[in-house]
Amino acid sequence: MKAFYFDYAATTPADPRVAQAMADCLTLEGNFGNPASRSHRYGWQAEQAVEHARRQLADLLNADPREIVWTSGATESNNLALKGVVEQLRLQDAEAPLHIITSAIEHKAVLDPCAWLEKHQGVDVTCLVPDADGLIHPTQVAEALRPDTCLVSLMAVNNELGTITDIEAIGQLLVDHPALLHVDAAQAVGKVDVDVQRWKVDLLSVSAHKFYGPKGVGALYVRREPQVKLAAQMHGGGHERGMRSGTLPTHQLVGIGLAAQLVQEQLSSDKERVSTLRNRLWQGLEAIGGVYLNGHPSQRTANHLNVSFDGVDGEILLASMAKVAVSSGSACNSATVAPSYVLKAIGRSDALAHAGLRFSLGRFTAAEEIDAVVAEVSRIVTLLRG
Ligand SMILES: *Cc1c(COP(=O)(O)O)cnc(C)c1O
């Protein structure tokens, strides 16, 4: 039995055009060479493909291609940004007081490196608490800023709630402060306009598999003017201007590059189509009754719907949803049964946090699926409420 896929925030399928372009880079007949091989055309062709991909992603982000550092995904990009900034500063002064501002609803790939830096590099970390709608406000950042703040790390779009942070306002208030701004944009690319110039960010993490590219590849945008200096986390052949060694995977990079170009071409039409479907899903679910929307009703992405159901056990609910692939809380936490820390942070009770379901739609969601999913969820919730 095939389940309806409503978990695009966990990962997206690759666009078929992306998959084809990638396949063309694997075999002897294709563009399989090592981009670092300087002595023959296999290498030159691979390098050309990699640099084309760099420009495609840079164009999407309004960046210079020389500001793109390829990584294995947003987890690595976040680690490189956070540890790279702090270790670079530690090289200059091993004892200086260093302060990072982040939030309680960041992805674990930001929270865990922050906790590591707190423990091993003597960094002081402030975790901003969201309001009941899941928003972190620029005024909170302004109030938390200190003379020793070296980095502000906030996500552009929350992976559980779909809520959008006003990064542009935060970038603006940091203009006169030496602190760097890092943005985890893994959930933002493909859903909102990401513009590193308008946002005035110094570092920005992206992940291909959240926007119809392959898993295992991403990038970190690193501002050139003024130049952000990062201590490398991966040492080796000196690839990516020394910031991230390792042979560049041509097929992965061709994949992320084309995925970025497709986002640029169809973001507005994708957004419009998906928001119509999402609104129809919400209307259908709301009609069941005893349903709560988690996260701000309007300041959120078009593809996202996080809801909690009154009077049902969250785990039984999820276990009954065999025909609909969704997440309870964040997919990254589904190995544990603790209530979602994001839903707890916006003030939901344990019961409602446990009974939260994240529906996320995408490029390949069909209109017919919406009505089928509403009928299925309605049937199960009614059954469980007895
Ligand atoms: C998916 C995700 C990540 C992790 O990205 P990977 O490329 O899978 O490592 C980090 N942050 C956010 C907000 C995400 O949604």
Side-chain angles (χ1 to χ4, degrees), residues 4-5 31 43 50 56 63 75 83 90 104 108 116 128 155 163 223 228 250 270 283-284 307 314 322 340 349 386:
F4 298 112
Y5 191 72
N31 195 356
V50 164
Q56 286 170 311
T75 299
K83 295 178 187 165
R90 281 282 173 250
K108 289 286 183 189
W116 189 90
L128 303 176
M155 63 205 326
T163 42
R223 180 173 288 284
V228 175
T250 311
D270 272 359
Q283 281 161 13
V307 292
S340 149
S349 64

Side-chain angles (χ1 to χ4, degrees), residues 25-26 31-38 42-43 45-54 65 68-72 76 216-220 234 237-256:
C25 295
L26 289 169
N31 195 356
F32 75 95
N34 186 333
S37 295
R38 289 286 149 81
Y42 294 94
Q45 273 169 12
E47 188 192 20
Q48 225 171 39
V50 164
E51 294 315 311
H52 181 62
R54 202 186 294 279
I68 303 296
V69 173
W70 297 124
T71 67
S72 63
E76 186 188 335
V217 63
L220 180 65
M234 196 68 76
H239 308 75
E240 300 300 274
R241 280 146 289 131
M243 280 185 269
R244 203 280 194 174
S245 287
T247 298
L248 293 176
T250 311
H251 63 298
Q252 299 286 73
L253 301 176
V254 163
I256 189 174

Side-chain angles (χ1 to χ4, degrees), residues 133 135-137 161-167 295-301:
D133 284 327
L135 298 182
I136 301 289
H137 296 276
L161 302 170
T163 42
I164 301 170
T165 313
D166 188 352
I167 297 294
H296 196 275
S298 58
Q299 195 172 326
R300 64 196 174 113
T301 56

